[in-house]
Coordinates of all heavy atoms in Angstrom, one line a residue:
Chain A
H338 N 103.7 95.2 182.5 CA 103.9 96.2 181.5 C 105.2 97.1 181.9 O 106.1 97.3 181.1 CB 102.7 97.1 181.4 CG 103.0 98.3 180.5 ND1 103.0 98.2 179.1 CD2 103.3 99.6 180.8 CE1 103.3 99.4 178.6 NE2 103.5 100.2 179.6
N339 N 105.2 97.5 183.2 CA 106.3 98.4 183.6 C 107.6 97.7 183.7 O 108.7 98.3 183.3 CB 106.0 99.0 184.9 CG 105.1 100.3 184.8 OD1 104.6 100.6 183.7 ND2 104.9 101.0 185.9
I340 N 107.6 96.4 184.1 CA 108.9 95.7 184.1 C 109.4 95.5 182.7 O 110.6 95.7 182.4 CB 108.8 94.4 184.9 CG1 108.4 94.6 186.3 CG2 110.1 93.6 184.8 CD1 108.1 93.3 187.1
R341 N 108.5 95.1 181.8 CA 108.9 94.9 180.4 C 109.4 96.2 179.8 O 110.4 96.2 179.1 CB 107.7 94.4 179.6 CG 108.0 94.3 178.1 CD 109.1 93.2 177.8 NE 109.6 93.3 176.5 CZ 110.9 93.1 176.2 NH1 111.7 92.7 177.1 NH2 111.3 93.2 174.9
Y342 N 108.8 97.3 180.2 CA 109.2 98.6 179.7 C 110.7 98.8 180.1 O 111.5 99.2 179.3 CB 108.3 99.7 180.3 CG 108.7 101.1 179.8 CD1 108.0 101.7 178.8 CD2 109.7 101.8 180.4 CE1 108.3 103.0 178.3 CE2 110.0 103.1 180.0 CZ 109.3 103.7 178.9 OH 109.7 104.9 178.5
M343 N 111.0 98.6 181.4 CA 112.3 98.8 181.9 C 113.3 97.9 181.2 O 114.5 98.3 180.9 CB 112.4 98.6 183.4 CG 111.6 99.7 184.2 SD 112.1 101.4 183.9 CE 113.8 101.4 184.5
L344 N 112.9 96.6 181.0 CA 113.9 95.7 180.4 C 114.1 96.0 178.9 O 115.2 95.9 178.4 CB 113.4 94.2 180.6 CG 113.9 93.5 181.8 CD1 115.4 93.3 181.8 CD2 113.5 94.2 183.1
R345 N 113.0 96.4 178.3 CA 113.2 96.8 176.8 C 114.1 98.0 176.7 O 115.0 98.1 175.9 CB 111.8 97.1 176.2 CG 111.8 97.1 174.7 CD 110.4 97.2 174.1 NE 109.7 98.2 174.7 CZ 108.5 98.1 175.2 NH1 107.9 96.9 175.3 NH2 107.8 99.1 175.8
L346 N 113.8 99.0 177.6 CA 114.7 100.2 177.7 C 116.1 99.8 177.9 O 117.0 100.3 177.2 CB 114.2 101.1 178.8 CG 115.0 102.4 179.0 CD1 114.9 103.3 177.7 CD2 114.4 103.2 180.2
A347 N 116.4 98.9 178.8 CA 117.7 98.5 179.1 C 118.4 97.9 177.8 O 119.5 98.2 177.5 CB 117.8 97.5 180.2
S348 N 117.6 97.1 177.1 CA 118.2 96.5 175.9 C 118.4 97.5 174.8 O 119.4 97.4 174.0 CB 117.5 95.2 175.5 OG 116.3 95.5 174.9
Q349 N 117.5 98.4 174.7 CA 117.7 99.5 173.7 C 118.9 100.4 174.1 O 119.7 100.7 173.2 CB 116.5 100.4 173.7 CG 115.2 99.8 173.0 CD 113.9 100.5 173.3 OE1 113.9 101.4 174.2 NE2 112.9 100.2 172.5
V350 N 119.1 100.6 175.3 CA 120.3 101.4 175.8 C 121.5 100.6 175.4 O 122.5 101.2 174.9 CB 120.2 101.7 177.3 CG1 121.5 102.1 177.9 CG2 119.1 102.8 177.5
R351 N 121.5 99.4 175.7 CA 122.7 98.5 175.5 C 123.0 98.5 174.0 O 124.1 98.6 173.5 CB 122.4 97.1 176.0 CG 123.6 96.2 175.7 CD 123.4 94.8 176.2 NE 124.3 93.9 175.5 CZ 125.5 93.6 175.9 NH1 125.9 94.1 177.1 NH2 126.3 92.8 175.3
A352 N 121.9 98.3 173.2 CA 122.1 98.3 171.7 C 122.7 99.6 171.2 O 123.6 99.6 170.3 CB 120.8 97.9 171.0
A353 N 122.3 100.7 171.8 CA 122.8 102.0 171.3 C 124.2 102.1 171.7 O 125.1 102.6 170.9 CB 121.9 103.1 171.9
I354 N 124.6 101.7 172.9 CA 126.0 101.7 173.3 C 126.9 100.9 172.4 O 127.9 101.4 171.9 CB 126.2 101.3 174.8 CG1 125.4 102.2 175.7 CG2 127.7 101.2 175.1 CD1 125.3 101.6 177.2
C355 N 126.4 99.7 172.1 CA 127.2 98.8 171.2 C 127.3 99.4 169.8 O 128.3 99.2 169.1 CB 126.5 97.4 171.1 SG 126.7 96.6 172.7
A356 N 126.2 100.1 169.4 CA 126.2 100.7 168.0 C 126.9 102.0 168.0 O 127.0 102.7 166.9 CB 124.8 100.8 167.5
G357 N 127.3 102.5 169.1 CA 128.0 103.8 169.1 C 127.0 105.0 169.0 O 127.5 106.1 168.7
T358 N 125.8 104.8 169.3 CA 124.8 105.8 169.1 C 124.1 106.2 170.4 O 123.0 106.8 170.4 CB 123.7 105.4 168.1 OG1 123.1 104.2 168.6 CG2 124.2 105.1 166.7
F359 N 124.7 105.9 171.5 CA 124.1 106.1 172.8 C 123.7 107.6 173.1 O 122.6 107.9 173.6 CB 124.9 105.5 174.0 CG 124.3 105.8 175.3 CD1 123.1 105.3 175.7 CD2 124.9 106.8 176.2 CE1 122.5 105.6 177.0 CE2 124.4 107.1 177.4 CZ 123.2 106.5 177.8
P360 N 124.7 108.5 172.8 CA 124.3 109.9 173.2 C 123.1 110.4 172.5 O 122.2 111.0 173.1 CB 125.6 110.7 172.7 CG 126.7 109.7 172.8 CD 126.1 108.4 172.4
A361 N 122.9 110.0 171.2 CA 121.7 110.4 170.5 C 120.5 109.7 171.0 O 119.4 110.3 171.2 CB 121.9 110.1 169.0
F362 N 120.7 108.4 171.4 CA 119.5 107.7 172.0 C 119.1 108.4 173.2 O 117.9 108.6 173.5 CB 119.9 106.3 172.2 CG 118.8 105.5 172.9 CD1 117.9 104.8 172.2 CD2 118.7 105.5 174.3 CE1 116.9 104.1 172.8 CE2 117.7 104.8 174.9 CZ 116.8 104.1 174.2
R363 N 120.0 108.7 174.1 CA 119.7 109.3 175.4 C 119.0 110.6 175.2 O 118.0 110.9 175.8 CB 121.0 109.5 176.2 CG 120.8 110.3 177.5 CD 122.1 110.8 178.1 NE 122.8 111.7 177.1 CZ 123.9 112.3 177.3 NH1 124.6 112.0 178.4 NH2 124.5 113.2 176.5
D364 N 119.5 111.4 174.3 CA 118.9 112.8 174.1 C 117.5 112.7 173.5 O 116.6 113.4 174.0 CB 119.8 113.6 173.2 CG 121.2 113.9 173.8 OD1 121.3 113.7 175.0 OD2 122.1 114.3 173.1
T365 N 117.3 111.8 172.6 CA 116.0 111.6 172.0 C 115.0 111.1 173.1 O 113.9 111.5 173.2 CB 116.0 110.6 170.8 OG1 117.0 111.1 169.9 CG2 114.7 110.5 170.2
F366 N 115.5 110.1 173.8 CA 114.7 109.5 174.9 C 114.2 110.5 175.9 O 113.1 110.7 176.2 CB 115.4 108.3 175.6 CG 114.5 107.7 176.7 CD1 113.6 106.8 176.4 CD2 114.6 108.2 178.0 CE1 112.7 106.3 177.4 CE2 113.8 107.7 179.0 CZ 112.8 106.7 178.7
L367 N 115.2 111.3 176.4 CA 114.9 112.3 177.4 C 114.0 113.4 176.9 O 113.2 114.0 177.6 CB 116.2 112.8 178.1 CG 117.0 111.7 178.9 CD1 118.3 112.3 179.4 CD2 116.1 111.1 180.0
A368 N 114.2 113.7 175.6 CA 113.3 114.8 175.0 C 111.9 114.3 174.9 O 110.9 115.0 175.1 CB 113.9 115.2 173.6

Side-chain angles (χ1 to χ4, degrees):
Chain A
H338 174 80
N339 276 6
I340 297 175
R341 176 62 196 147
Y342 182 98
M343 292 303 296
L344 270 294
R345 194 171 53 233
L346 178 61
S348 70
Q349 288 166 344
V350 162
R351 178 180 162 89
I354 296 168
C355 292
T358 57
F359 174 70
F362 176 91
R363 176 194 60 183
D364 296 346
T365 307
F366 178 85
L367 294 177

